[in-house]
Amino acid sequence: MSDLSPREASPRKLSRRKLITGGLAAAAGVAGLGVAARLAQKYGLVPPDHGGIYGLGETLTYASQRLLTRHSLAREFPRSQISKPPFANEIEPLTDQFKRLQAGGFADWRLSVNGMVARPASFSLDQLKSYPSHTQITMLQCEEGWSYIAEWIGVPLSHVLDSVGVLPQARYVVYFSIEPDTWESIDMADALHPQTFLTYGMNGDELPVGHGGPLRLRLPRQVGYKSVKFITRLTVTDSLKGFGKGVGSASAEGGYAWYAGI
Ligand SMILES: Nc1nc2c(c(=O)[nH]1)N[C@H]1C(S)=C(S)[C@@H](COP(=O)(O)O)O[C@H]1N2
Ligand SMILES: [Mo]
């Protein structure tokens, strides 16, 4: 019996990955930042918040994560491990617009999807719930150190993207909260990842407003701030330059990493 794991049994793939990550690190160490930056650029592995040569750390983190863990899954937990009760992180006072929608039972909540898609669309919650619902029991980890485990119920973002027809040149999905100045973006690898959900339920119930109800993007492979609450809009794009200050997210503008993989 071979003791090779399936991944090790595919030497061609592995050696290409090794070559690129090894090459990036070596280039950074020996030949200097310029060469590493050019290599990363060549393979499309530069995050939007790289900040020129000073962002080499961010670039290496993102590049090696993408090459090595692109298809890996966040850990899922048994039902017995669900935290009781999970507390909700502090959120800004909700706007009047939100309160009006809440008073109507969120019947008028819409998720609009536009940008580089064949058929821009606007979905009601009922429409999103008409897709087969999926669940995951995963951990939400705040960058400040605390975490909790919950069951998240929703529709994989990939289903919604498939239904609008993402154009081949798309590279990122930018997602916006109904809250002002609250937005993030992810690359297509994370957008199409099976655990990236548009979430409308939690622990067998509706998603509570404190946890981002009626609709939250759930992204268990990155830290908590990428799981934005109160999602109303998605834009598919090939460049993040035109959004805000061009570094990919509100949190990146505030000095946090755009790519915050766990
Ligand atoms: N719209 C919105 N989404 C948000 C936040 C926020 O303040 N507003 N906080 C983020 C941060 S920093 C964390 S750690 C998680 C907390 O999720 P929880 O309230 O379910 O614990 O939500 C994230 N999503
Ligand atoms: Mo957080």
Side-chain angles (χ1 to χ4, degrees):
M1 209 181 92
S2 161
D3 61 359
L4 287 179
S5 75
R7 216 171 69 177
E8 286 169 318
S10 171
R12 221 164 52 85
K13 235 185 197 165
L14 190 65
S15 64
R16 181 173 170 268
R17 289 174 176 178
K18 256 194 188 148
L19 186 78
I20 300 170
T21 44
L24 274 177
V30 180
L33 303 174
V35 177
R38 273 205 303 281
L39 269 173
Q41 184 80 56
K42 178 170 175 196
Y43 289 101
L45 296 169
V46 180
D49 62 342
H50 64 89
I53 59 168
Y54 299 108
L56 188 64
E58 302 291 1
T59 296
L60 281 173
T61 305
Y62 176 59
S64 42
Q65 286 263 350
R66 268 295 151 268
L67 291 163
L68 299 171
T69 65
R70 183 180 194 100
H71 300 291
S72 70
L73 295 173
R75 183 172 168 203
E76 302 214 6
F77 297 83
R79 194 157 288 279
S80 60
Q81 301 255 81
I82 290 175
S83 313
K84 293 179 181 78
F87 62 93
N89 196 17
E90 205 176 314
I91 50 175
E92 300 287 310
L94 295 161
T95 58
D96 289 345
Q97 185 197 9
F98 183 92
K99 287 180 187 148
R100 273 197 303 278
L101 290 161
Q102 187 176 21
F106 297 121
D108 293 328
W109 191 274
R110 289 291 180 279
L111 173 74
S112 65
V113 184
N114 58 26
M116 290 189 156
V117 298
R119 298 169 295 280
S122 163
F123 299 89
S124 68
L125 293 171
D126 281 348
Q127 280 172 303
L128 293 174
K129 289 175 183 173
S130 73
Y131 288 105
S133 89
H134 285 62
T135 65
Q136 55 172 297
I137 300 175
T138 53
M139 182 183 280
L140 185 143
Q141 287 176 262
C142 172
E143 78 291 353
E144 290 170 4
W146 52 267
S147 64
Y148 67 87
I149 295 169
E151 177 200 37
W152 307 89
I153 308 159
V155 54
L157 177 59
S158 64
H159 291 212
V160 173
L161 293 176
D162 284 350
S163 79
V164 294
V166 169
L167 302 182
Q169 64 269 39
R171 292 191 58 194
Y172 304 99
V173 173
V174 190
Y175 46 104
F176 299 86
S177 173
I178 198 169
E179 289 186 299
D181 304 319
T182 307
W183 60 283
E184 290 287 332
S185 63
I186 46 179
D187 65 14
M188 290 312 291
D190 265 337
L192 300 175
H193 186 275
Q195 289 172 315
T196 302
F197 279 17
L198 284 164
T199 306
Y200 47 73
M202 185 188 216
N203 297 340
D205 227 319
E206 299 278 291
L207 180 63
V209 166
H211 289 289
L215 195 66
R216 176 179 199 173
L217 195 123
R218 179 71 188 115
L219 184 74
R221 294 201 314 170
Q222 294 200 41
V223 297
Y225 61 76
K226 301 293 289 193
S227 287
V228 172
K229 304 172 180 184
F230 322 123
I231 294 291
T232 52
R233 183 158 64 94
L234 304 176
T235 299
V236 180
T237 181
D238 64 348
S239 167
L240 297 169
K241 294 226 167 68
F243 298 87
K245 295 179 185 161
V247 293
S249 67
S251 53
E253 292 176 358
Y256 292 89
W258 171 77
Y259 182 75
I262 296 171

